Amino acid sequence: MAETPEYLRPFVLSPPAREPERTDTVDTYRPDGEGPFPVVVVVHGTPLPPGLEAQPRDWPLYRGYGRLLAEQGLLTAVVGYQLPITPGPDGLVLDYATAADQVAAAVTAARADPRADADRVVLWFFSGGAMLSAGWLRDAPAWLRGIALTYPVVTPLPGMVAAPGFAAPAEAVGPGAPPLLVTRVGREHPGFAAGVETFLTRAGDVELIEVPNGQHSFDIADHTEESRAAVRRAVEWVRRRQAV
């Protein structure tokens, strides 16, 4: 029997079942009640592994976060997007700017939802999806209450380069960035960890959640109380930012 791919492993928490409303690019998890609801936009990791059996919006990880956040009264949009990749002389060239435009369009659509409180929005980026946070870090609108980054990749991956003109989050972040949450794992890839260290030294208002025994994708890979506590704490930070 073939081993289950890591991305299809179960989420570390078991929130109540809740089916999303699906469009071409967004799954929306609606809380109970009338609203208007604060908004969370969830941006999955990238680049995606080859031969996917399911797109990220169908992974237990992002379905789990969508359900968990909606349970907390947050209108949650899990975004699907494409990252164009082409060969280049110095490695694979990732067109983060095009992917970032797709995410920005999804954020606009989420804020326009009639059930949304468009003035209370948090963006939550995972893994390599954190590369797409650069523009929001550099030029945050007034309605953006915070940015959460979970096991983030904030510099280009080894063997890959950003398309010309794109500044990585570790370069874009500064004291003027919105309130930030970074969830960092102790068993991170050294290249990723170095980028996060640089990011943290340049950032201003940051809350840090440490998962000392966690690995990248700890929220599906490490079914421990440490993992569950880290996820709960991150969700609570997002909820608190919406109340400001």
Side-chain angles (χ1 to χ4, degrees):
M1 182 180 296
E3 184 178 355
T4 301
E6 181 180 75
Y7 60 84
L8 292 181
R9 293 178 184 173
F11 188 43
V12 296
L13 295 175
S14 300
R18 187 185 304 263
E19 289 305 309
E21 302 168 3
R22 172 159 291 190
T23 67
D24 287 343
T25 58
V26 176
D27 278 8
T28 302
Y29 291 81
R30 180 185 183 279
D32 298 328
E34 296 301 321
F37 304 107
V39 177
V40 183
V41 178
V42 173
V43 181
H44 66 73
T46 195
L48 298 175
L52 288 178
E53 296 179 18
Q55 291 301 306
R57 286 185 289 164
D58 290 317
W59 296 0
L61 174 66
Y62 298 112
R63 289 179 65 86
Y65 275 106
R67 291 168 171 172
L68 190 60
L69 290 162
E71 186 185 21
Q72 294 296 313
L74 305 172
L75 187 69
T76 304
V78 180
V79 180
Y81 63 91
Q82 301 297 318
L83 175 65
I85 302 176
T86 56
D90 300 316
L92 295 176
V93 179
L94 282 65
D95 186 357
Y96 289 114
T98 293
D101 286 345
Q102 297 172 37
V103 170
V107 172
T108 297
R111 294 184 66 233
D113 189 310
R115 300 162 299 188
D117 182 340
D119 292 325
R120 291 194 289 166
V121 181
V122 167
L123 307 183
W124 196 341
F125 298 86
F126 289 78
S127 188
M131 290 290 289
L132 307 179
S133 67
W136 305 100
L137 293 165
R138 186 173 45 242
D139 187 19
W143 46 259
L144 182 57
R145 299 302 178 90
I147 293 176
L149 305 167
T150 294
Y151 38 83
V153 178
V154 291
T155 53
L157 296 159
M160 300 181 181
V161 295
F166 181 84
E171 302 166 351
V173 70
L180 298 171
L181 172 70
V182 174
T183 299
R184 179 168 63 175
V185 294
R187 297 161 59 197
E188 184 60 279
H189 183 287
F192 301 169
V196 173
E197 281 292 341
T198 299
F199 181 92
L200 291 172
T201 61
R202 295 178 178 177
D205 181 5
V206 183
E207 182 165 332
L208 185 61
I209 297 176
E210 300 277 18
V211 191
N213 300 303
Q215 57 191 311
H216 202 85
S217 301
F218 74 92
D219 37 12
I220 54 172
D222 303 315
H223 283 249
T224 65
E225 187 52 41
E226 178 183 71
S227 294
R228 290 185 284 273
V231 170
R232 292 189 188 102
R233 183 177 165 191
V235 169
E236 175 59 20
W237 182 90
V238 171
R239 192 190 64 76
R240 282 191 284 108
R241 285 307 313 160
Q242 301 286 21
V244 174

Short mmCIF file of all heavy atoms in Angstrom, two decimals, residues 136-204:
data_model
loop_
_atom_site.label_atom_id
_atom_site.label_comp_id
_atom_site.label_asym_id
_atom_site.label_seq_id
_atom_site.Cartn_x
_atom_site.Cartn_y
_atom_site.Cartn_z
N TRP A 136 2.39 43.48 1.43
CA TRP A 136 1.58 43.87 2.59
C TRP A 136 2.45 44.35 3.74
O TRP A 136 2.04 45.22 4.52
CB TRP A 136 0.72 42.69 3.04
CG TRP A 136 -0.11 42.10 1.95
CD1 TRP A 136 0.14 40.98 1.22
CD2 TRP A 136 -1.36 42.62 1.45
NE1 TRP A 136 -0.87 40.75 0.30
CE2 TRP A 136 -1.80 41.74 0.43
CE3 TRP A 136 -2.15 43.72 1.79
CZ2 TRP A 136 -2.98 41.93 -0.27
CZ3 TRP A 136 -3.33 43.92 1.09
CH2 TRP A 136 -3.73 43.04 0.08
N LEU A 137 3.65 43.78 3.86
CA LEU A 137 4.57 44.22 4.90
C LEU A 137 5.09 45.62 4.63
O LEU A 137 5.26 46.43 5.55
CB LEU A 137 5.76 43.25 4.98
CG LEU A 137 5.45 41.84 5.45
CD1 LEU A 137 6.62 40.91 5.13
CD2 LEU A 137 5.16 41.83 6.94
N ARG A 138 5.32 45.91 3.37
CA ARG A 138 5.91 47.19 2.98
C ARG A 138 4.88 48.32 2.97
O ARG A 138 5.21 49.48 3.27
CB ARG A 138 6.55 47.03 1.60
CG ARG A 138 7.33 48.23 1.11
CD ARG A 138 8.08 47.91 -0.18
NE ARG A 138 7.24 47.20 -1.13
CZ ARG A 138 7.47 45.96 -1.59
NH1 ARG A 138 8.54 45.30 -1.17
NH2 ARG A 138 6.66 45.40 -2.47
N ASP A 139 3.64 47.99 2.60
CA ASP A 139 2.62 49.03 2.42
C ASP A 139 1.28 48.50 2.93
O ASP A 139 0.42 48.11 2.15
CB ASP A 139 2.54 49.40 0.95
CG ASP A 139 1.64 50.60 0.69
OD1 ASP A 139 1.36 51.35 1.64
OD2 ASP A 139 1.19 50.77 -0.46
N ALA A 140 1.10 48.49 4.24
CA ALA A 140 -0.10 47.91 4.86
C ALA A 140 -1.26 48.90 4.85
O ALA A 140 -1.11 50.02 5.33
CB ALA A 140 0.20 47.48 6.28
N PRO A 141 -2.41 48.50 4.32
CA PRO A 141 -3.60 49.37 4.39
C PRO A 141 -4.14 49.45 5.81
O PRO A 141 -3.85 48.60 6.66
CB PRO A 141 -4.58 48.69 3.44
CG PRO A 141 -4.15 47.26 3.40
CD PRO A 141 -2.67 47.25 3.60
N ALA A 142 -4.97 50.46 6.07
CA ALA A 142 -5.48 50.69 7.42
C ALA A 142 -6.34 49.54 7.91
O ALA A 142 -6.42 49.30 9.12
CB ALA A 142 -6.26 52.00 7.45
N TRP A 143 -7.00 48.84 7.01
CA TRP A 143 -7.90 47.76 7.43
C TRP A 143 -7.18 46.46 7.77
O TRP A 143 -7.79 45.53 8.27
CB TRP A 143 -8.96 47.49 6.36
CG TRP A 143 -8.44 47.39 4.95
CD1 TRP A 143 -8.48 48.35 4.00
CD2 TRP A 143 -7.79 46.26 4.35
NE1 TRP A 143 -7.91 47.91 2.83
CE2 TRP A 143 -7.48 46.63 3.01
CE3 TRP A 143 -7.45 44.98 4.79
CZ2 TRP A 143 -6.84 45.76 2.13
CZ3 TRP A 143 -6.81 44.12 3.91
CH2 TRP A 143 -6.52 44.51 2.60
N LEU A 144 -5.88 46.41 7.51
CA LEU A 144 -5.12 45.19 7.77
C LEU A 144 -4.69 45.18 9.24
O LEU A 144 -3.82 45.93 9.65
CB LEU A 144 -3.90 45.10 6.86
CG LEU A 144 -3.04 43.85 6.99
CD1 LEU A 144 -3.85 42.58 6.76
CD2 LEU A 144 -1.85 43.91 6.03
N ARG A 145 -5.32 44.30 10.04
CA ARG A 145 -5.07 44.29 11.48
C ARG A 145 -3.83 43.50 11.88
O ARG A 145 -3.35 43.62 13.00
CB ARG A 145 -6.29 43.69 12.20
CG ARG A 145 -7.58 44.49 11.99
CD ARG A 145 -7.45 45.94 12.46
NE ARG A 145 -8.64 46.72 12.24
CZ ARG A 145 -9.64 46.85 13.10
NH1 ARG A 145 -9.59 46.23 14.26
NH2 ARG A 145 -10.68 47.58 12.80
N GLY A 146 -3.32 42.67 10.97
CA GLY A 146 -2.13 41.90 11.30
C GLY A 146 -1.82 40.87 10.23
O GLY A 146 -2.65 40.57 9.36
N ILE A 147 -0.59 40.35 10.28
CA ILE A 147 -0.14 39.30 9.37
C ILE A 147 0.45 38.18 10.22
O ILE A 147 1.31 38.41 11.07
CB ILE A 147 0.93 39.83 8.40
CG1 ILE A 147 0.32 40.86 7.44
CG2 ILE A 147 1.57 38.69 7.62
CD1 ILE A 147 1.33 41.50 6.50
N ALA A 148 -0.04 36.97 9.99
CA ALA A 148 0.49 35.78 10.65
C ALA A 148 1.33 34.98 9.65
O ALA A 148 0.94 34.82 8.49
CB ALA A 148 -0.64 34.92 11.20
N LEU A 149 2.46 34.49 10.11
CA LEU A 149 3.38 33.70 9.28
C LEU A 149 3.71 32.41 10.03
O LEU A 149 4.26 32.46 11.13
CB LEU A 149 4.66 34.48 9.00
CG LEU A 149 4.50 35.87 8.37
CD1 LEU A 149 5.81 36.64 8.45
CD2 LEU A 149 4.05 35.76 6.92
N THR A 150 3.38 31.28 9.44
CA THR A 150 3.60 29.99 10.10
C THR A 150 4.66 29.20 9.34
O THR A 150 4.55 29.01 8.13
CB THR A 150 2.29 29.19 10.18
OG1 THR A 150 1.38 29.87 11.06
CG2 THR A 150 2.52 27.79 10.73
N TYR A 151 5.69 28.73 10.07
CA TYR A 151 6.93 28.15 9.50
C TYR A 151 7.25 28.81 8.16
O TYR A 151 7.34 28.17 7.11
CB TYR A 151 6.90 26.62 9.40
CG TYR A 151 5.59 25.97 9.00
CD1 TYR A 151 5.20 25.85 7.67
CD2 TYR A 151 4.74 25.44 9.97
CE1 TYR A 151 4.02 25.24 7.31
CE2 TYR A 151 3.54 24.84 9.62
CZ TYR A 151 3.20 24.74 8.29
OH TYR A 151 2.02 24.14 7.93
N PRO A 152 7.47 30.15 8.20
CA PRO A 152 7.55 30.90 6.95
C PRO A 152 8.88 30.71 6.22
O PRO A 152 9.93 30.49 6.82
CB PRO A 152 7.41 32.35 7.42
CG PRO A 152 7.98 32.34 8.80
CD PRO A 152 7.59 31.01 9.38
N VAL A 153 8.79 30.81 4.91
CA VAL A 153 9.95 30.93 4.04
C VAL A 153 9.95 32.37 3.55
O VAL A 153 9.05 32.78 2.83
CB VAL A 153 9.87 29.95 2.85
CG1 VAL A 153 11.07 30.13 1.93
CG2 VAL A 153 9.80 28.50 3.35
N VAL A 154 10.95 33.15 3.95
CA VAL A 154 10.94 34.59 3.67
C VAL A 154 12.12 35.02 2.81
O VAL A 154 12.34 36.22 2.59
CB VAL A 154 10.90 35.40 4.99
CG1 VAL A 154 9.55 35.24 5.67
CG2 VAL A 154 12.03 34.99 5.93
N THR A 155 12.87 34.05 2.31
CA THR A 155 13.89 34.27 1.29
C THR A 155 13.73 33.15 0.27
O THR A 155 13.18 32.09 0.59
CB THR A 155 15.31 34.23 1.89
OG1 THR A 155 15.48 33.02 2.64
CG2 THR A 155 15.57 35.41 2.81
N PRO A 156 14.17 33.35 -0.98
CA PRO A 156 13.95 32.31 -2.00
C PRO A 156 14.52 30.95 -1.57
O PRO A 156 15.55 30.87 -0.89
CB PRO A 156 14.68 32.86 -3.22
CG PRO A 156 14.61 34.35 -3.04
CD PRO A 156 14.76 34.57 -1.56
N LEU A 157 13.84 29.91 -1.98
CA LEU A 157 14.28 28.55 -1.67
C LEU A 157 15.63 28.25 -2.34
O LEU A 157 15.95 28.83 -3.38
CB LEU A 157 13.24 27.55 -2.16
CG LEU A 157 11.86 27.62 -1.50
CD1 LEU A 157 10.82 26.96 -2.38
CD2 LEU A 157 11.92 26.93 -0.14
N PRO A 158 16.41 27.34 -1.76
CA PRO A 158 17.67 26.96 -2.41
C PRO A 158 17.44 26.47 -3.83
O PRO A 158 16.53 25.69 -4.09
CB PRO A 158 18.18 25.83 -1.50
CG PRO A 158 17.56 26.10 -0.17
CD PRO A 158 16.20 26.66 -0.48
N GLY A 159 18.26 26.95 -4.77
CA GLY A 159 18.11 26.56 -6.16
C GLY A 159 17.04 27.30 -6.91
O GLY A 159 16.74 26.99 -8.07
N MET A 160 16.42 28.30 -6.26
CA MET A 160 15.37 29.08 -6.88
C MET A 160 15.66 30.56 -6.66
O MET A 160 16.30 30.95 -5.68
CB MET A 160 14.00 28.72 -6.28
CG MET A 160 13.63 27.27 -6.46
SD MET A 160 12.01 26.88 -5.78
CE MET A 160 11.92 25.11 -6.14
N VAL A 161 15.18 31.39 -7.59
CA VAL A 161 15.37 32.83 -7.48
C VAL A 161 14.03 33.51 -7.75
O VAL A 161 13.17 32.99 -8.46
CB VAL A 161 16.44 33.36 -8.46
CG1 VAL A 161 17.80 32.79 -8.12
CG2 VAL A 161 16.06 33.02 -9.90
N ALA A 162 13.85 34.68 -7.16
CA ALA A 162 12.65 35.47 -7.43
C ALA A 162 12.81 36.18 -8.75
O ALA A 162 13.91 36.58 -9.15
CB ALA A 162 12.42 36.47 -6.31
N ALA A 163 11.70 36.33 -9.46
CA ALA A 163 11.73 37.08 -10.71
C ALA A 163 12.21 38.50 -10.43
O ALA A 163 12.02 39.03 -9.34
CB ALA A 163 10.33 37.10 -11.33
N PRO A 164 12.88 39.12 -11.41
CA PRO A 164 13.42 40.48 -11.20
C PRO A 164 12.36 41.46 -10.71
O PRO A 164 11.21 41.43 -11.14
CB PRO A 164 13.93 40.86 -12.60
CG PRO A 164 14.22 39.56 -13.27
CD PRO A 164 13.18 38.60 -12.76
N GLY A 165 12.78 42.31 -9.78
CA GLY A 165 11.89 43.34 -9.27
C GLY A 165 11.11 42.95 -8.03
O GLY A 165 10.43 43.79 -7.45
N PHE A 166 11.23 41.68 -7.61
CA PHE A 166 10.47 41.25 -6.44
C PHE A 166 11.38 41.25 -5.22
O PHE A 166 12.44 40.62 -5.21
CB PHE A 166 9.90 39.84 -6.65
CG PHE A 166 9.08 39.34 -5.49
CD1 PHE A 166 7.75 39.68 -5.38
CD2 PHE A 166 9.65 38.54 -4.51
CE1 PHE A 166 6.99 39.23 -4.31
CE2 PHE A 166 8.90 38.08 -3.44
CZ PHE A 166 7.56 38.43 -3.34
N ALA A 167 10.96 41.94 -4.15
CA ALA A 167 11.70 41.98 -2.89
C ALA A 167 11.12 40.95 -1.94
O ALA A 167 9.91 40.95 -1.69
CB ALA A 167 11.63 43.37 -2.27
N ALA A 168 11.94 40.07 -1.41
CA ALA A 168 11.47 39.04 -0.48
C ALA A 168 11.06 39.69 0.84
O ALA A 168 11.49 40.80 1.18
CB ALA A 168 12.58 38.02 -0.23
N PRO A 169 10.22 39.01 1.62
CA PRO A 169 9.77 39.57 2.91
C PRO A 169 10.91 39.95 3.84
O PRO A 169 10.81 40.96 4.55
CB PRO A 169 8.92 38.44 3.49
CG PRO A 169 8.40 37.72 2.31
CD PRO A 169 9.51 37.75 1.30
N ALA A 170 11.99 39.18 3.86
CA ALA A 170 13.11 39.52 4.73
C ALA A 170 13.74 40.85 4.34
O ALA A 170 14.40 41.50 5.17
CB ALA A 170 14.16 38.41 4.70
N GLU A 171 13.53 41.29 3.08
CA GLU A 171 14.03 42.59 2.64
C GLU A 171 12.96 43.67 2.80
O GLU A 171 13.27 44.83 3.05
CB GLU A 171 14.44 42.51 1.17
CG GLU A 171 15.52 41.47 0.89
CD GLU A 171 15.67 41.19 -0.60
OE1 GLU A 171 14.83 41.68 -1.38
OE2 GLU A 171 16.61 40.47 -0.95
N ALA A 172 11.68 43.28 2.66
CA ALA A 172 10.59 44.26 2.66
C ALA A 172 10.15 44.67 4.06
O ALA A 172 9.63 45.76 4.25
CB ALA A 172 9.39 43.69 1.90
N VAL A 173 10.34 43.80 5.05
CA VAL A 173 9.82 44.08 6.38
C VAL A 173 10.63 45.19 7.06
O VAL A 173 11.83 45.35 6.81
CB VAL A 173 9.84 42.81 7.25
CG1 VAL A 173 11.26 42.39 7.61
CG2 VAL A 173 8.98 42.99 8.50
N GLY A 174 9.94 45.95 7.89
CA GLY A 174 10.61 47.00 8.65
C GLY A 174 9.74 47.42 9.81
O GLY A 174 8.64 46.87 10.03
N PRO A 175 10.16 48.39 10.58
CA PRO A 175 9.39 48.82 11.76
C PRO A 175 7.99 49.31 11.43
O PRO A 175 7.13 49.34 12.30
CB PRO A 175 10.26 49.95 12.34
CG PRO A 175 11.63 49.68 11.84
CD PRO A 175 11.46 49.09 10.48
N GLY A 176 7.73 49.72 10.19
CA GLY A 176 6.41 50.20 9.82
C GLY A 176 5.43 49.11 9.43
O GLY A 176 4.29 49.41 9.06
N ALA A 177 5.84 47.85 9.51
CA ALA A 177 4.96 46.75 9.15
C ALA A 177 3.81 46.64 10.14
O ALA A 177 3.90 47.11 11.29
CB ALA A 177 5.74 45.44 9.13
N PRO A 178 2.68 46.02 9.74
CA PRO A 178 1.58 45.82 10.68
C PRO A 178 1.99 44.83 11.77
O PRO A 178 3.05 44.19 11.67
CB PRO A 178 0.48 45.23 9.78
CG PRO A 178 1.21 44.58 8.67
CD PRO A 178 2.41 45.45 8.41
N PRO A 179 1.20 44.69 12.83
CA PRO A 179 1.51 43.68 13.85
C PRO A 179 1.70 42.31 13.22
O PRO A 179 0.94 41.91 12.33
CB PRO A 179 0.30 43.72 14.77
CG PRO A 179 -0.23 45.11 14.62
CD PRO A 179 0.00 45.47 13.18
N LEU A 180 2.71 41.58 13.69
CA LEU A 180 3.10 40.31 13.08
C LEU A 180 3.09 39.19 14.11
O LEU A 180 3.45 39.39 15.27
CB LEU A 180 4.50 40.41 12.49
CG LEU A 180 4.72 41.43 11.37
CD1 LEU A 180 6.21 41.56 11.06
CD2 LEU A 180 3.95 41.03 10.13
N LEU A 181 2.71 38.00 13.63
CA LEU A 181 2.87 36.77 14.39
C LEU A 181 3.73 35.84 13.56
O LEU A 181 3.44 35.59 12.38
CB LEU A 181 1.51 36.11 14.64
CG LEU A 181 1.58 34.71 15.27
CD1 LEU A 181 2.05 34.80 16.72
CD2 LEU A 181 0.26 33.99 15.18
N VAL A 182 4.78 35.31 14.17
CA VAL A 182 5.64 34.33 13.51
C VAL A 182 5.63 33.06 14.36
O VAL A 182 5.95 33.10 15.55
CB VAL A 182 7.07 34.84 13.33
CG1 VAL A 182 7.98 33.73 12.79
CG2 VAL A 182 7.10 36.05 12.41
N THR A 183 5.25 31.95 13.73
CA THR A 183 5.35 30.64 14.39
C THR A 183 6.58 29.94 13.82
O THR A 183 6.65 29.66 12.62
CB THR A 183 4.10 29.80 14.14
OG1 THR A 183 2.96 30.47 14.68
CG2 THR A 183 4.23 28.43 14.82
N ARG A 184 7.55 29.69 14.69
CA ARG A 184 8.85 29.16 14.27
C ARG A 184 9.06 27.77 14.87
O ARG A 184 8.76 27.54 16.04
CB ARG A 184 9.96 30.10 14.73
CG ARG A 184 11.35 29.64 14.36
CD ARG A 184 12.38 30.73 14.59
NE ARG A 184 12.51 31.13 15.97
CZ ARG A 184 13.42 32.01 16.42
NH1 ARG A 184 14.24 32.61 15.56
NH2 ARG A 184 13.48 32.32 17.69
N VAL A 185 9.58 26.86 14.06
CA VAL A 185 9.81 25.49 14.52
C VAL A 185 11.30 25.25 14.78
O VAL A 185 12.16 25.82 14.10
CB VAL A 185 9.28 24.46 13.50
CG1 VAL A 185 7.76 24.55 13.40
CG2 VAL A 185 9.90 24.63 12.12
N GLY A 186 11.57 24.42 15.77
CA GLY A 186 12.95 24.17 16.16
C GLY A 186 13.71 23.28 15.21
O GLY A 186 14.94 23.33 15.15
N ARG A 187 13.00 22.45 14.44
CA ARG A 187 13.64 21.50 13.52
C ARG A 187 13.45 21.96 12.08
O ARG A 187 13.17 21.18 11.20
CB ARG A 187 13.05 20.11 13.74
CG ARG A 187 13.31 19.55 15.14
CD ARG A 187 12.36 18.42 15.50
NE ARG A 187 12.44 17.31 14.57
CZ ARG A 187 11.52 16.35 14.45
NH1 ARG A 187 10.43 16.41 15.20
NH2 ARG A 187 11.67 15.38 13.59
N GLU A 188 13.65 23.26 11.87
CA GLU A 188 13.47 23.87 10.56
C GLU A 188 14.68 23.62 9.67
O GLU A 188 15.81 23.39 10.15
CB GLU A 188 13.24 25.38 10.74
CG GLU A 188 12.94 26.16 9.47
CD GLU A 188 11.68 25.65 8.76
OE1 GLU A 188 11.80 24.64 8.04
OE2 GLU A 188 10.62 26.29 8.92
N HIS A 189 14.46 23.64 8.35
CA HIS A 189 15.56 23.60 7.39
C HIS A 189 16.48 24.78 7.67
O HIS A 189 16.03 25.91 7.84
CB HIS A 189 14.98 23.70 5.97
CG HIS A 189 16.01 23.61 4.89
ND1 HIS A 189 16.89 24.64 4.59
CD2 HIS A 189 16.28 22.62 4.00
CE1 HIS A 189 17.67 24.29 3.59
NE2 HIS A 189 17.31 23.06 3.21
N PRO A 190 17.82 24.56 7.76
CA PRO A 190 18.73 25.65 8.14
C PRO A 190 18.60 26.89 7.25
O PRO A 190 18.68 28.02 7.74
CB PRO A 190 20.11 25.02 8.00
CG PRO A 190 19.88 23.55 8.22
CD PRO A 190 18.53 23.27 7.62
N GLY A 191 18.39 26.68 5.95
CA GLY A 191 18.24 27.83 5.06
C GLY A 191 17.01 28.64 5.36
O GLY A 191 17.03 29.88 5.34
N PHE A 192 15.91 27.97 5.68
CA PHE A 192 14.68 28.68 6.04
C PHE A 192 14.86 29.41 7.36
O PHE A 192 14.43 30.56 7.52
CB PHE A 192 13.51 27.71 6.17
CG PHE A 192 13.19 26.91 4.93
CD1 PHE A 192 12.31 25.84 5.00
CD2 PHE A 192 13.77 27.20 3.71
CE1 PHE A 192 12.00 25.09 3.88
CE2 PHE A 192 13.47 26.46 2.57
CZ PHE A 192 12.58 25.40 2.67
N ALA A 193 15.50 28.73 8.32
CA ALA A 193 15.67 29.31 9.65
C ALA A 193 16.52 30.58 9.60
O ALA A 193 16.24 31.56 10.31
CB ALA A 193 16.31 28.28 10.59
N ALA A 194 17.54 30.59 8.76
CA ALA A 194 18.40 31.78 8.65
C ALA A 194 17.60 32.96 8.13
O ALA A 194 17.77 34.10 8.60
CB ALA A 194 19.59 31.48 7.74
N GLY A 195 16.74 32.72 7.16
CA GLY A 195 15.91 33.80 6.64
C GLY A 195 14.97 34.36 7.70
O GLY A 195 14.76 35.59 7.77
N VAL A 196 14.41 33.49 8.52
CA VAL A 196 13.51 33.95 9.59
C VAL A 196 14.27 34.80 10.60
O VAL A 196 13.76 35.82 11.09
CB VAL A 196 12.81 32.75 10.26
CG1 VAL A 196 12.03 33.20 11.48
CG2 VAL A 196 11.89 32.05 9.28
N GLU A 197 15.50 34.40 10.92
CA GLU A 197 16.31 35.20 11.85
C GLU A 197 16.52 36.62 11.31
O GLU A 197 16.38 37.60 12.04
CB GLU A 197 17.66 34.52 12.08
CG GLU A 197 17.62 33.36 13.05
CD GLU A 197 17.33 33.81 14.48
OE1 GLU A 197 17.51 35.00 14.80
OE2 GLU A 197 16.90 32.97 15.28
N THR A 198 16.84 36.71 10.03
CA THR A 198 17.02 38.02 9.41
C THR A 198 15.73 38.82 9.47
O THR A 198 15.72 40.02 9.79
CB THR A 198 17.48 37.86 7.96
OG1 THR A 198 18.73 37.18 7.93
CG2 THR A 198 17.62 39.21 7.27
N PHE A 199 14.63 38.16 9.15
CA PHE A 199 13.31 38.80 9.17
C PHE A 199 13.02 39.36 10.55
O PHE A 199 12.59 40.52 10.69
CB PHE A 199 12.26 37.76 8.78
CG PHE A 199 10.85 38.26 8.73
CD1 PHE A 199 10.32 38.75 7.55
CD2 PHE A 199 10.04 38.23 9.85
CE1 PHE A 199 9.01 39.22 7.49
CE2 PHE A 199 8.73 38.69 9.82
CZ PHE A 199 8.22 39.19 8.62
N LEU A 200 13.25 38.58 11.59
CA LEU A 200 12.92 39.00 12.95
C LEU A 200 13.77 40.19 13.40
O LEU A 200 13.30 41.05 14.15
CB LEU A 200 13.08 37.84 13.92
CG LEU A 200 12.05 36.71 13.77
CD1 LEU A 200 12.42 35.52 14.65
CD2 LEU A 200 10.64 37.20 14.10
N THR A 201 15.02 40.26 12.96
CA THR A 201 15.87 41.37 13.37
C THR A 201 15.42 42.69 12.72
O THR A 201 15.68 43.77 13.26
CB THR A 201 17.34 41.12 13.00
OG1 THR A 201 17.47 40.98 11.58
CG2 THR A 201 17.86 39.87 13.70
N ARG A 202 14.72 42.60 11.60
CA ARG A 202 14.30 43.81 10.87
C ARG A 202 12.86 44.22 11.19
O ARG A 202 12.47 45.35 10.90
CB ARG A 202 14.43 43.57 9.36
CG ARG A 202 15.87 43.36 8.90
CD ARG A 202 15.94 43.10 7.41
NE ARG A 202 17.31 42.95 6.97
CZ ARG A 202 17.68 42.65 5.73
NH1 ARG A 202 16.76 42.48 4.79
NH2 ARG A 202 18.95 42.52 5.41
N ALA A 203 12.10 43.32 11.75
CA ALA A 203 10.68 43.58 12.00
C ALA A 203 10.51 44.43 13.26
O ALA A 203 11.40 44.53 14.11
CB ALA A 203 9.93 42.27 12.12
N GLY A 204 9.33 45.02 13.38
CA GLY A 204 9.01 45.82 14.56
C GLY A 204 8.17 45.05 15.55
O GLY A 204 8.68 44.31 16.40
#
